[in-house]
Amino acid sequence: MQFFKQIKSILAVSLVLLFMAAPAIAGQPKYVFYFIGDGLGAAQRQFSEFFLQDQLKNPNSQLVMDTFEVAGINTTYCADTLITDSAAAATALASGVKTNKGVIGKDVNGNNVKTLVEEARDHGMKTGLITTTRLTHATPAAFASHNISRNNENEIADDFLNSGVDFFAGGGIRHFIPASMKIENADALGKTIKSKRKDEKDLVKGFEGKGYSTFIGMKGAKAFKSTDFSKQDKVFAAFTYTHMPYEVERMNQYKNVPSIADMTRAGIDVLAQGDKGFFLMIEGGRIDHAAHANDPSGVIWDTIAFDDAIKTAYEFFQNHKDQTLIVVVGDHETGGMGLGMDSMGYKLNMAALNDVHVSVEDTLNDGAGQYKGDKAAYLSYLSKNFGLSNLSDAEAASLNKAMVSADAGETLGYYKLNPAALTAAHILSTRANINWTTTIHTATMIPMSATGAYAGRFGGYKDNTQIAKAMAQTLGFTL
């Protein structure tokens, strides 16, 4: 009898050890790509695909994200308002928790919540954050920081230094350098690098002290393009003073600046060296900014660039099919983008966007193409750079009224846009037969798509919190 008791005891211990050694889920993904299109609603995805088809003269062309076998739709509301902001939405996508507008990585009571990136790190996986916005902007911040306000970007930068994340790439060097630092014409767009900090902390040196290879400004952007990242252990890259350029301008004016696909490829090369796999979050952040400015071409080109990054991940997936999961979501819809209006009936005119070379926000609203009182010069600029030649009488009258309004110091929309810039965006949109209901976010549900190991868990009608929870369940994490 004692013999059988000993056998049962040995078997029990063996089973416990077996379960401890085994992965939490048989066949769970080793490599995870979490793509977040900021402001990427159904209209933005569809319109960009239509434009791609028109450019390629192939009605069967698709965005890579629209070819995945699993699809769904997600609600986006946050704890204190039905129309979310990116901070609350990203916290939901990163931690599975509803929180208040503007809050990063905390619940409604101010308690820190565990994120997928933190769980991945604690499970021995390599981790990375990539964005076309400032690195300290709401979406990447919610994966590796905890703060009562998304606006506390210096504190968020401090959190990043201590986060253990292995790969960072994006913009926003201003929150990582000492208050006294100022270098003329040094960022990747040729703009001045200066600090937004109130102290003399040099977080770039801090990252270097922890073994990170750093790629800063124009010099860093050029080096980034020629670096073999399979030989890099940890990377911190911040190329621009604030956000990365819109894709429509990156591809026309700033070709030395890495694309979101370039950053994704580098991230894969660094993180794939880990024995336990990786978790990589990639944000197409400027889709949202373009939609805030009601900029149809800005939306299209940044969505296509985002899809090129997804294509890069999909190429990796092809060689690791049983071990890779790719999930593509949005955090909310921006602009209330509608495809079709009475002015042109039942059609869209994609050709109206062919001659657009600049963005509404960075150039017409704030940059070299801003209206500054010379009406003839502004109209000439729009004709050469924004596709608005051969103005109709109604279009000319609308622009003239907007320029008069700008001369009077008036602004339009929630974010106080230059009337001349926003009116130009609306004329271009009308020519393409699209409409905008707002310059802010909407509560519209947004599409999701996924492929790879356990992709089926992400399909169907879900709240954004359920996406994070499904990810945690799939990876054996506890949020």
Side-chain angles (χ1 to χ4, degrees), residues 96 169 217 265 449:
R265 191 172 297 109
S449 52

Side-chain angles (χ1 to χ4, degrees), residues 15-254:
L15 284 171
V16 168
L17 291 173
L18 179 63
F19 282 120
M20 287 176 65
I25 302 168
Q28 69 183 38
K30 181 177 180 180
Y31 308 109
V32 179
F33 296 90
Y34 201 7
F35 284 93
I36 301 176
D38 201 312
L40 186 62
Q44 285 83 355
R45 278 175 73 154
Q46 185 65 73
F47 193 58
S48 299
E49 186 164 281
F50 283 152
F51 183 80
L52 185 69
Q53 291 168 355
D54 185 75
Q55 291 290 297
L56 299 176
K57 308 303 178 189
N58 180 359
N60 297 315
S61 294
Q62 288 182 282
L63 297 173
V64 174
M65 69 179 98
D66 289 341
T67 66
F68 293 169
E69 70 275 15
V70 177
I73 193 165
N74 304 145
T75 50
T76 65
Y77 62 91
C78 62
D80 60 347
T81 175
L82 295 179
I83 298 178
T84 192
D85 83 318
S86 292
T91 298
L93 290 169
S95 300
V97 174
K98 291 287 186 188
T99 195
N100 293 333
K101 181 174 173 284
V103 175
I104 295 289
K106 289 178 177 286
D107 63 20
V108 294
N109 297 313
N111 301 308
N112 290 353
V113 292
K114 198 73 177 285
T115 78
L116 290 166
V117 161
E118 290 167 344
E119 274 288 290
R121 175 201 64 200
D122 292 348
H123 279 71
M125 299 174 77
K126 293 280 191 177
T127 59
L129 298 173
I130 294 170
T131 182
T132 53
T133 67
R134 294 190 296 273
L135 281 163
T136 49
H137 218 237
T139 301
F143 281 83
S145 181
H146 306 274
N147 205 289
I148 198 64
S149 174
R150 61 180 291 176
N151 296 322
N152 295 329
E153 293 187 60
N154 293 331
E155 295 173 12
I156 290 166
D158 292 341
D159 283 351
F160 281 179
L161 179 60
N162 299 309
S163 66
V165 171
D166 301 285
F167 186 93
F168 293 94
I173 185 58
R174 66 194 200 180
H175 297 289
F176 295 90
I177 56 177
S180 60
M181 182 177 286
K182 185 176 181 180
I183 310 173
E184 301 289 342
N185 309 317
D187 93 339
L189 311 185
K191 297 181 179 179
T192 299
I193 288 178
K194 54 187 177 181
S195 179
K196 280 278 189 176
R197 297 191 68 87
K198 305 298 182 184
D199 56 39
E200 289 300 312
K201 287 183 181 178
D202 189 334
L203 300 187
V204 175
K205 285 188 176 179
F207 279 110
E208 290 171 351
K210 292 191 174 189
Y212 288 75
S213 298
T214 58
F215 298 82
I216 306 302
M218 178 69 78
K219 183 179 178 181
K222 291 179 178 178
F224 194 89
K225 290 227 172 184
S226 60
T227 296
D228 181 355
F229 284 98
S230 67
K231 297 179 181 178
Q232 302 293 318
D233 182 44
K234 294 186 288 188
V235 167
F236 176 82
F239 304 111
T240 49
Y241 166 71
T242 181
H243 304 305
M244 300 282 280
Y246 282 105
E247 180 65 14
V248 67
E249 291 169 341
R250 191 203 67 81
M251 66 185 186
N252 287 310
Q253 301 176 43
Y254 306 117

Side-chain angles (χ1 to χ4, degrees), residues 399-420:
L399 273 172
N400 186 68
K401 181 179 178 182
M403 288 186 284
V404 170
S405 178
D407 287 335
E410 297 173 2
T411 59
L412 292 176
Y414 185 86
Y415 290 105
K416 302 185 184 305
L417 297 169
N418 184 306

Side-chain angles (χ1 to χ4, degrees), residues 261-276:
D262 293 332
M263 294 188 287
T264 300
R265 191 172 297 109
I268 292 170
D269 287 346
V270 171
L271 302 181
Q273 300 173 64
D275 293 337
K276 296 186 178 180

